[in-house]
Amino acid sequence: MIKRRVGQMAIATRLKKLEAMQQNKEHIGVIVFSVEDDGRIWTANIKKERLFFETIFEAENYLIGVPGVTKDTVIIIDDLMVWGDGLYLPCDPLLYFCNSEQRCKFASLTMNLEKWLSLYISLVQRILTESIKNPNMQLPGFDDPALQDLIQNYNSMSIEQLVERYKDQKWFRGKGR
């Protein structure tokens, strides 16, 4: 009897949520951001035309004022254009802390992993230096185990060793490999 009552309550709760979502005609369920060849970040599913942003921080600030964007809106970021092919390091630093020109440089190096990783390490160093000056600075992606491992090891390993360490390690966990 108790299980049946709990099940009915769960169904009633879901039904109320569904009704509330139906009442909000402007609700935006999913927003997809992508990176252009020239490094610009864009989306086309907020308005009918493409919207371009310099960083994801800028895009997030824009989304705050968009009617229909709620805490339930799913945000998908397609970072394949700037991702080092086969290196499982987060692209958050590229999307949040690089401008279009810098992201374009990463995009041109996606197949040259040594150069891509060298540029990535320089970016991470720059961000960490800025974060020392501004301790309240947000650091998206820096909680990723692979990036934490890179920060600990980039001084003690060669670029070739680092490429090998992060290559094809989709579920990189760090020291216990």
Side-chain angles (χ1 to χ4, degrees), residues 51-97:
L51 298 173
F52 291 93
F53 302 96
E54 201 54 35
T55 67
I56 292 293
F57 282 130
E58 187 180 304
E60 288 174 347
N61 288 335
Y62 175 79
L63 290 178
I64 291 170
V66 174
V69 175
T70 68
K71 64 179 176 56
D72 297 323
T73 301
V74 176
I75 297 176
I76 299 171
I77 302 173
D78 174 13
D79 58 7
L80 196 56
M81 184 63 67
V82 293
W83 179 58
D85 189 36
L87 290 182
Y88 289 95
L89 291 166
C91 283
D92 295 341
L94 306 176
L95 299 171
Y96 281 90
F97 299 100

Side-chain angles (χ1 to χ4, degrees), residues 132-150:
I132 292 169
K133 296 174 187 172
N134 182 5
N136 296 327
M137 184 172 147
Q138 293 179 20
L139 297 173
F142 279 75
D143 58 347
D144 184 276
L147 182 51
Q148 289 178 358
D149 185 81
L150 176 67

Side-chain angles (χ1 to χ4, degrees), residues 122-134 137:
S122 296
L123 172 65
V124 168
Q125 289 173 328
R126 178 178 61 89
I127 295 168
L128 290 174
T129 302
E130 289 176 21
S131 73
I132 292 169
K133 296 174 187 172
N134 182 5
M137 184 172 147

